[in-house]
Amino acid sequence: DTEVTQTPKHLVMGMTNKKSLKCEQHMGHRAMYWYKQKAKKPPELMFVYSYEKLSINESVPSRFSPECPNSSLLNLHLHALQPEDSALYLCASSQEDFIAKNIQYFGAGTRLSVL
Amino acid sequence: AQRVTQPEKLLSVFKGAPVELKCNYSYSGSPELFWYVQYSRQRLQLLLRHISRESIKGFTADLNKGETSFHLKKPFAQEEDSAMYYCALSLNTNAGKSTFGDGTTLTVKP
């Protein structure tokens, strides 16, 4: 299995809702990432997990809460979002060995709309 | 801080014509450079990595440290090359953290 799988594909939520985005990979990658991508813009890094520990938080608001329950799973918990948080949320993974650590494999994304 | 610049938002060429997508970066150290591609309705995927020095789908890219550039080239563009192309930079000191350029949308006309 050489894919990063994200669920759901689409999500519509109100500003008072709590929801979660899920990401799964079975490539044995030990680094996993969340990105936010607005239309016609590049992906913006949000979080990086390395060996299930949060290693990078790019000053993301606390209404976004990442979780890495194990080496194959990555969640992004959403609470009290704002309409401007509407975007495509991408998950990615990579190996941690020196040769391949910077090659990232992306999921298809979750398209989030906040009403 | 590192920065990646792709000066062309849109690039349009005819099928069979050569194409060059420009990428310039700013970083004083030795970064790793990549080209990622996103075809319509498909996920973002790696196209090329500078240390591999290989040709993928007819595309090549050479890292020019003097000019801090990593331009993507193909001698004969095909319609299926139409896509969004992102140049990205990763620092070997910060595992996995990539900085992306704003992207270039390539359209290859028949």
Side-chain angles (χ1 to χ4, degrees), chain B residues 56-92:
Chain B
I56 303 291
K57 298 185 180 184
F59 284 97
T60 58
D62 290 318
L63 180 62
N64 185 323
K65 291 187 178 180
E67 296 182 0
T68 59
S69 68
F70 187 57
H71 303 326
L72 183 68
K73 300 177 185 178
K74 185 169 183 176
F76 308 103
Q78 303 299 313
E79 289 179 70
E80 55 265 28
D81 297 328
S82 297
M84 172 71 93
Y85 291 80
Y86 291 103
C87 183
L89 175 156
S90 289
L91 307 180
N92 286 319

Side-chain angles (χ1 to χ4, degrees), chain A residues 25-96:
Chain A
Q25 58 87 15
H26 296 288
M27 294 180 278
H29 292 171
R30 301 310 296 270
M32 296 184 77
Y33 314 78
W34 282 114
Y35 287 87
K36 175 181 178 179
Q37 187 177 26
K38 290 281 207 179
K40 309 283 189 194
K41 294 290 187 184
E44 295 176 37
L45 184 66
M46 300 174 72
F47 303 104
V48 180
Y49 271 83
S50 177
Y51 290 94
E52 294 107 72
K53 287 188 174 15
L54 183 65
S55 60
I56 296 176
N57 176 341
E58 292 286 273
S59 303
V60 179
S62 60
R63 57 186 185 268
F64 295 91
S65 175
E67 179 197 18
C68 190
N70 60 55
S71 59
S72 300
L73 293 174
L74 185 66
N75 298 321
L76 186 63
H77 302 299
L78 315 172
H79 174 53
L81 294 195
Q82 304 297 309
E84 59 265 28
D85 296 322
S86 299
L88 182 69
Y89 287 84
L90 296 172
C91 175
S93 69
S94 70
Q95 296 181 34
E96 275 286 20

Side-chain angles (χ1 to χ4, degrees), chain A residues 16 31 37 48 78 95 97 99 106 111-112:
Chain A
T16 57
Q37 187 177 26
V48 180
L78 315 172
Q95 296 181 34
D97 63 272
I99 300 296
F106 286 85
R111 191 161 297 284
L112 175 67

Side-chain angles (χ1 to χ4, degrees), chain B residues 1-109:
Chain B
Q2 64 276 13
R3 186 178 173 85
V4 177
T5 303
Q6 293 180 246
E8 305 132 331
K9 273 194 178 328
L10 303 170
L11 186 60
S12 183
V13 300
F14 283 101
K15 177 182 171 182
V19 63
E20 181 178 71
L21 289 82
K22 291 185 167 48
C23 172
N24 289 91
Y25 66 92
S26 61
Y27 179 64
S28 56
S30 295
E32 190 168 2
L33 275 295
F34 302 84
W35 278 99
Y36 284 87
V37 60
Q38 191 165 29
Y39 300 102
S40 178
R41 296 193 180 86
Q42 292 189 29
R43 65 189 65 199
L44 193 59
Q45 58 187 289
L46 178 70
L47 179 64
L48 281 180
R49 184 183 184 196
H50 92 266
I51 65 172
S52 301
R53 303 181 68 83
E54 56 191 349
S55 172
I56 303 291
K57 298 185 180 184
F59 284 97
T60 58
D62 290 318
L63 180 62
N64 185 323
K65 291 187 178 180
E67 296 182 0
T68 59
S69 68
F70 187 57
H71 303 326
L72 183 68
K73 300 177 185 178
K74 185 169 183 176
F76 308 103
Q78 303 299 313
E79 289 179 70
E80 55 265 28
D81 297 328
S82 297
M84 172 71 93
Y85 291 80
Y86 291 103
C87 183
L89 175 156
S90 289
L91 307 180
N92 286 319
T93 56
N94 207 343
K97 181 171 179 177
S98 295
T99 299
F100 287 80
D102 284 346
T104 297
T105 301
L106 173 66
T107 302
V108 181
K109 296 180 284 190

